[in-house]
């Protein structure tokens, strides 16, 4: 069909344009030039010989990985008449809601600025720059006075906004009907039901080996684990992103995880990347931003208090402060419903040549943001690699957890998926909790917004994030949240208040993630 | 082959319902939009483009003038074309849609002259080889688009967030 061919042509053209600006393009060009000296490259069949050379030397695989990465991250090009905001978010009412939410955040930040008389950004005096450079590896020892700072928002504020989301074209009717949403989310997004989830997550089924289940001490490693590790090593040797993504659906061996994630996210630490990170570090040294204090406060309040992550405090500053200065992150706003905040150079209000984004990466951190980085510190110890991995995870996944959109992996869809799963498969529990004023989403929301970071034990969290990468989707967070409720259903049926329900679900650190998911999806009698 | 938009007049929607509009409680699920073409010259329609707003299924009917002597006839070009796979959810609700000539079996030129479709059954899409001149023009368009995108500059960021070394800011802007 010609329509599909022209769609494909558009996708190819877009990917070509994106890759042309990348390091890989320059490297491929250099390699092609260098290969001309090789005896097997003949002038008569130049194009074919160079292509063959790329295939043998592994450069074709690198190109394949880059194309695969672009396909995974960028949405397919939409209709030619669709404006850029349609690509960010197709539903007008969601765009408006995101805009209002952003305005509230900006107002909050501005008022913090004026109240505390602290500028949004300032250039550090030379003495202060030197001091910070010396302290770079131990910024955690600094104890600045952060008492006046407050986080710009917390997940529960965001939940209130989501609860009030309404589609102006959707009529629920005043009376309860089968179409009224009994949960908190009232927008009719399409979410998968269990049969569809079973198909989507087919590799998590009962007959497929899993790390997190079939590698436990009682199971002899010859049955699954040894072979799985062997396959993992092969995948790494082949350096194939798509194969790695398929492989990791069954979990990653601990020893291979860092490399596998880097392969899937298409991160290779080139000298240019290390230089880029050093440049970001220089930016941190030179300019002091108000968001830095927010980051400090967040790390001190969350990660530093966590038994697993407090040792990584210094790493967190090194990553998050640089992250705020990274203008390459602005690229993800093309497919994020959010938009970066704008400001003007002092005294040049309204003059477009003096318009800048603030912070430079356009992302204002909220309470708990540093928990996106913390688990990665277990895998990567070299700051620039850790930084690259986090940045890629953010622009692929984490941004969806705190912006209002209709995307199937967006937080709104995850909330609705969670509520629908619970309502459909545990109706008694759902009804009971609702009756006692403990809407389940009020408890599970914080788990999903943080992708369970800080709630699960680290090894379990990493097994969960393996699957996020493997399926290129965050839906597993909603399924796990429902599975946790199912697991503790008996206790929850006995509570009589929201506080008691919270108490039953306060400690998830003993949970084993994969058995819960498997039972909920594949072994629950409905 | 250049394409231009045809001036047309889109009338307001009219609800199709049985009974008195004023007294009936129910809301109709079918609305009709009339589109007329003020220009008299014949044209070859290639594409209809619109933005959907919560319409689940679309049918298009065309009134054709075959000759000055016979009265004009209504022909169905498209029947129940699905725009929203699940009408109760948001999928496809606000999407931009293009309908092409080849999707309708009876759309030909000029002024959509065609053999009348018997019993209003939508004919299956014509299988077999497509018209060579049509293929070559489509391929030409795709190629032009690809070349255009390739020729435009890449959008790599240079990395600077300041203006001439200055990043002294006022407050955040709300616009």
């Amino acid at each position: 069909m010609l329509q599909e061919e022209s769609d494909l042509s558009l996708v190819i053209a877009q990917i070509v344009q994106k890759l042309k600006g990348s390091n890989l393009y320059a490297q491929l060009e250099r390699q092609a030039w260098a290969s001309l000296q090789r005896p097997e490259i003949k002038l008569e069949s130049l194009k074919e010989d160079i292509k063959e050379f790329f295939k043998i030397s592994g450069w074709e695989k690198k190109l394949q990985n880059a194309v695969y990465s672009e396909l995974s991250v960028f949405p397919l090009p939409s209709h030619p008449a669709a404006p850029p905001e349609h690509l960010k978010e197709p539903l007008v009412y969601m765009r408006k809601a995101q805009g209002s939410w952003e305005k509230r955040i900006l107002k909050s930040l501005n008022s913090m600025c004026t109240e505390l008389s602290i500028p949004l950004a300032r250039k550090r005096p030379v003495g202060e720059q030197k001091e910070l450079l010396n302290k770079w590896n131990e910024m955690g020892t600094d104890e600045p006075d952060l008492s006046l700072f407050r986080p710009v928002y917390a997940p529960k504020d965001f939940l209130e906004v989501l609860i009030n989301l309404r589609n102006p074209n959707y009529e629920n009717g005043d009376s309860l009907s089968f179409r009224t949403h009994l949960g908190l989310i009232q927008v009719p997004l399409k979410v998968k039901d269990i049969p569809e989830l079973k198909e989507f997550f087919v590799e998590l089924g009962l007959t497929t080996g899993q790390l997190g289940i079939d590698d436990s001490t009682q199971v002899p490693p010859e049955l699954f684990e040894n072979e799985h590790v062997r396959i993992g090593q092969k995948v790494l040797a082949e350096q194939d992103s798509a194969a790695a993504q398929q492989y990791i659906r069954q979990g990653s061996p601990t020893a291979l995880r860092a490399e596998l994630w880097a392969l899937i996210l298409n991160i290779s630490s080139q000298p240019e990347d290390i230089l880029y990170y050093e440049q970001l570090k220089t930016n941190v040294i030179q300019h002091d931003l108000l968001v830095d204090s927010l980051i400090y406060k967040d790390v001190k309040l969350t990660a530093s208090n966590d038994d697993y992550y407090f040792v990584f405090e210094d790493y967190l500053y090194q990553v998050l402060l640089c992250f705020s200065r990274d203008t390459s992150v602005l690229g993800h706003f093309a497919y994020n419903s959010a938009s970066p905040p704008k400001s003007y150079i002092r005294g040049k209000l309204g003059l477009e040549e003096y318009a800048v984004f603030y912070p430079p990466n356009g992302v204002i951190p909220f309470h708990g943001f540093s928990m996106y980085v913390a688990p990665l510190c277990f895998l990567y110890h070299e700051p620039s690699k850790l930084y690259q991995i986090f940045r890629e995870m953010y622009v692929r996944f984490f941004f969806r957890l705190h912006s209002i959109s209709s995307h199937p992996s967006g937080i709104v869809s995850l909330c609705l998926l969670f509520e629908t799963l619970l309502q459909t498969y545990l109706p008694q529990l759902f009804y009971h909790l609702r009756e006692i004023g403990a809407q389940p989403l009020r408890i599970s929301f914080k788990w999903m917004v943080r992708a369970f970071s800080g709630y699960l034990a680290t090894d379990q969290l990493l097994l969960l994030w393996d699957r996020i990468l493997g399926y290129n989707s965050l839906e597993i967070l909603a399924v796990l949240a429902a599975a946790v409720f199912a697991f503790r259903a008996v206790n929850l049926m006995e509570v009589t208040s929201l506080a008691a329900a919270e108490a039953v679900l306060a400690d998830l650190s003993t949970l084993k993630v994969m058995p819960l998911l498997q039972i909920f999806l594949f072994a629950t009698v409905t | 082959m250049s394409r231009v938009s045809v001036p047309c007049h889109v009338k307001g929607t009219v609800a199709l319902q049985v009974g008195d509009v004023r007294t009936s409680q129910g809301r109709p699920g079918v609305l009709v939009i009339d589109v007329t073409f003020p220009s008299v010259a014949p044209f070859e329609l290639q594409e209809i483009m619109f933005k959907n707003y919560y319409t689940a299924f679309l049918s298009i009917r065309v009134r054709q003038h075959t000759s000055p002597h016979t009265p004009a006839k209504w022909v169905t070009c498209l029947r129940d074309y699905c725009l929203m796979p699940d009408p109760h959810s948001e999928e496809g609700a606000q999407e931009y849609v293009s309908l092409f000539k080849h999707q309708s079996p009876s759309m030909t030129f000029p002024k959509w002259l065609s053999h009348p479709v018997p019993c209003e059954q939508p004919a299956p899409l014509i299988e077999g080889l497509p018209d060579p001149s049509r293929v070559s023009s489509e391929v030409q368009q795709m190629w032009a688009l690809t070349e255009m995108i390739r020729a435009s500059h890449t959008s790599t960021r240079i990395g600077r967030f300041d203006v001439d070394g200055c990043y002294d800011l006022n407050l955040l802007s709300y616009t």
Side-chain angles (χ1 to χ4, degrees):
Chain A
M1 285 299 301
L2 282 170
Q3 183 55 37
E4 278 121 52
E5 280 163 24
S6 82
D7 284 343
L8 183 61
S9 182
L10 200 55
V11 173
I12 294 173
Q14 257 189 4
I15 294 183
V16 164
Q17 191 195 17
K18 279 223 77 214
L19 290 179
K20 257 190 161 177
S22 69
N23 278 340
L24 181 64
Y25 184 78
Q27 285 172 323
L28 284 171
E29 248 189 344
R30 273 201 299 273
Q31 286 295 319
W33 278 109
S35 76
L36 290 175
Q37 294 167 14
R38 301 176 78 87
E40 63 267 22
I41 310 287
K42 310 247 185 301
L43 204 58
E44 316 81 73
S45 51
L46 190 63
K47 197 166 161 186
E48 295 311 314
D49 290 346
I50 292 186
K51 271 161 88 169
E52 189 59 33
F53 165 67
F54 276 163
K55 205 179 282 188
I56 301 171
S57 57
W59 281 100
E60 191 192 49
K61 180 100 307 161
K62 290 202 173 77
L63 181 61
Q64 270 177 348
N65 288 347
V67 172
Y68 190 68
S69 182
E70 290 298 324
L71 283 172
S72 303
V73 176
F74 264 77
L76 293 173
S78 50
H79 194 274
E85 53 265 22
H86 189 84
L87 198 66
K88 285 161 77 74
E89 170 52 51
L91 302 180
V92 174
Y93 72 90
M94 290 250 177
R95 285 207 298 264
K96 285 205 171 119
Q98 172 66 24
S100 309
W101 170 238
E102 275 170 17
K103 210 162 172 175
R104 266 176 65 180
I105 297 176
L106 298 189
K107 284 200 169 134
S108 172
L109 204 54
N110 273 347
S111 60
M112 201 190 301
C113 228
T114 15
E115 275 168 40
L116 304 179
S117 304
I118 294 176
L120 285 176
R122 70 177 175 99
K123 192 138 188 176
R124 280 188 228 268
V126 177
E128 196 185 316
Q129 289 189 26
K130 274 211 188 101
E131 206 189 310
L132 184 55
L133 191 55
N134 289 337
K135 264 200 344 234
W136 181 255
N137 289 321
E138 29 173 64
M139 283 186 276
T141 54
D142 221 9
E143 296 281 345
D145 180 14
L146 300 168
S147 53
L148 295 170
F149 289 99
R150 48 178 198 279
V152 182
Y153 65 95
K156 61 174 161 40
D157 306 314
F158 189 47
L159 178 59
E160 290 305 317
V161 175
L162 300 186
I163 290 171
N164 289 316
L165 266 180
R166 293 288 183 278
N167 176 348
N169 199 52
Y170 186 72
E171 191 173 291
N172 248 339
D174 296 321
S175 54
L176 277 179
S177 75
F178 69 92
R179 266 204 303 279
T180 315
H181 294 265
L182 289 174
L184 294 174
I185 303 294
Q186 297 293 318
V187 289
L189 295 172
K190 181 96 175 77
V191 292
K192 295 182 170 81
D193 55 16
I194 286 207
E196 286 166 326
L197 289 168
K198 270 167 136 153
E199 208 182 299
F200 186 68
F201 291 117
V202 65
E203 293 87 352
L204 300 184
L206 296 166
T207 51
T208 316
Q210 300 295 328
L211 288 183
I213 299 174
D214 301 294
D215 56 331
S216 68
T217 42
Q218 301 95 345
V219 181
E222 308 84 63
L223 282 181
F224 168 71
E225 201 181 345
N226 289 348
E227 180 64 12
H228 191 65
V229 173
R230 203 187 60 80
I231 298 177
Q233 285 159 341
K234 192 150 184 277
V235 166
L236 280 174
E238 292 290 311
Q239 283 291 296
D240 186 329
S241 284
Q245 192 168 321
Q246 180 64 34
Y247 168 80
I248 211 173
R249 291 177 181 189
Q250 292 170 264
S252 166
T254 315
L256 306 179
R257 184 174 276 127
E259 283 184 70
L260 275 170
W261 283 23
L263 180 55
I264 295 171
L265 296 169
N266 205 32
I267 305 276
S268 59
S269 269
Q270 303 292 324
E272 302 91 62
D273 303 310
I274 301 176
L275 269 173
Y276 189 79
Y277 176 74
E278 291 297 318
Q279 178 62 44
L280 293 176
K281 182 173 157 184
T282 314
N283 291 338
V284 177
I285 306 282
Q286 284 177 347
H287 293 272
D288 179 29
L289 303 180
L290 178 62
V291 290
D292 292 350
S293 305
L294 297 176
I295 290 169
Y296 268 107
K297 180 125 192 171
D298 185 48
V299 173
K300 292 281 184 209
L301 283 178
T302 56
S304 302
N305 282 335
D306 190 301
D307 292 336
Y308 293 111
Y309 302 124
F310 71 92
V311 288
F312 299 123
E313 192 182 337
D314 297 322
Y315 278 118
L316 297 177
Y317 298 125
Q318 290 174 21
V319 166
L320 288 166
L321 294 178
C322 289
F323 181 64
S324 295
R325 274 93 173 149
D326 193 346
T327 51
S328 71
V329 174
L330 293 171
H332 92 288
F333 286 107
Y335 52 88
N336 182 356
S337 60
S339 298
K342 217 165 105 169
S343 182
Y344 294 90
I345 299 289
R346 201 178 287 279
K348 309 279 186 202
L349 186 64
L351 297 172
E352 283 316 302
E353 321 81 86
Y354 293 94
V356 290
F357 292 120
Y358 182 85
N361 73 345
V363 180
I364 296 187
F366 55 90
H367 178 64
F369 194 83
S370 54
M371 295 305 282
Y372 290 143
V373 190
L376 303 172
C377 298
F378 276 104
L379 300 174
Y380 304 97
H381 305 117
E382 207 268 294
S384 76
K385 187 105 187 245
L386 173 63
Y387 176 75
Q388 278 184 284
I389 297 275
F390 165 66
R391 180 180 59 184
E392 191 60 28
M393 289 286 281
Y394 182 81
V395 300
R396 275 201 203 201
F397 303 113
F398 297 145
F399 76 91
R400 298 204 190 275
L401 296 173
H402 62 95
S403 51
I404 303 175
S405 89
S406 59
H407 194 272
S409 273
I411 188 68
V412 187
S413 299
L414 297 184
C415 289
L416 187 59
L417 176 58
F418 163 75
E419 287 190 318
T420 312
L421 285 175
L422 214 58
Q423 207 176 326
T424 316
Y425 298 100
L426 294 156
Q428 253 192 326
L429 176 63
F430 192 91
Y431 186 74
H432 170 72
L433 289 172
R434 201 168 159 263
E435 287 295 290
I436 61 169
Q439 277 274 11
L441 185 60
R442 288 203 186 276
I443 303 173
S444 65
F445 186 71
K446 53 188 183 290
W447 304 337
M448 294 191 284
V449 165
R450 281 211 205 154
F452 282 88
S453 174
Y455 297 103
L456 297 173
T458 347
D459 62 321
Q460 296 301 310
L461 184 75
L462 293 172
L463 287 167
L464 179 67
W465 286 16
D466 282 342
R467 273 71 179 193
I468 292 180
L469 284 165
Y471 291 98
N472 201 29
S473 155
L474 292 165
E475 285 156 302
I476 200 149
L477 298 177
V479 181
L480 179 61
V484 170
F485 271 73
F487 185 59
R488 300 234 168 121
V490 174
N491 292 7
L492 285 168
M493 284 304 288
E494 287 170 15
V495 299
T496 51
S497 71
L498 172 60
E502 300 250 24
V504 168
L505 294 165
D507 184 6
L508 307 185
S509 59
T510 52
L511 293 182
K512 298 276 178 264
V513 157
M514 298 317 300
L516 281 184
L517 284 167
Q518 218 178 44
I519 292 173
F520 186 77
L521 283 175
F522 296 97
T524 303
V525 176
T526 53
Chain B
M1 190 170 76
S2 64
R3 286 142 52 105
V4 293
S5 43
V6 179
C8 60
H9 178 57
V10 179
K11 295 197 186 148
T13 54
V14 174
L16 287 186
Q17 62 184 106
V18 178
D20 193 344
V21 175
R22 276 185 298 278
T23 56
S24 98
Q25 296 268 319
R27 256 172 323 193
V30 183
L31 299 169
V32 177
I33 301 173
D34 276 324
V35 179
T36 53
F37 298 97
S39 69
V40 189
F43 61 89
E44 196 180 313
L45 192 71
Q46 302 283 347
E47 180 186 349
I48 300 176
M49 188 168 75
F50 59 92
K51 181 172 194 285
N52 190 15
Y53 192 73
Y54 296 98
T55 297
F57 300 99
L58 181 68
S59 299
I60 300 180
R61 302 190 76 207
V62 170
R63 195 161 102 173
Q64 295 182 347
H65 300 271
T66 43
S67 69
H69 306 293
T70 55
K73 268 193 320 213
W74 283 99
V75 177
T76 302
C77 295
L78 211 58
R79 162 94 98 211
D80 287 343
Y81 180 74
C82 180
L83 296 172
M84 287 172 66
D86 175 6
H88 292 296
S89 80
E90 298 277 8
E91 265 185 305
Q94 296 190 24
E95 284 303 321
Y96 288 81
V97 182
S98 271
L99 298 168
F100 294 94
K101 209 168 71 168
H102 61 258
Q103 282 172 276
S104 157
S106 59
M107 281 205 221
T108 49
F109 50 103
K111 276 242 168 130
W112 300 17
L113 269 175
S114 78
H115 314 292
V117 180
C119 305
E120 297 287 292
Q121 290 294 326
L125 288 172
I126 297 163
E127 300 299 318
L129 292 173
D131 170 41
S133 57
R134 186 161 59 93
V135 171
S136 74
S137 75
E138 299 259 8
V139 169
Q140 242 183 341
Q141 280 163 38
M142 283 195 291
W143 181 251
L145 176 64
T146 318
E147 282 301 308
M148 191 176 72
I149 293 183
R150 234 183 254 151
S152 64
H153 296 295
T154 59
S155 52
T156 356
R157 302 204 172 270
I158 306 172
R160 303 279 306 276
F161 56 80
D162 53 324
V163 178
D164 298 330
C166 176
Y167 196 61
D168 223 11
L169 303 178
N170 254 329
L171 293 175
L172 295 171
S173 161
Y174 296 135
T175 46

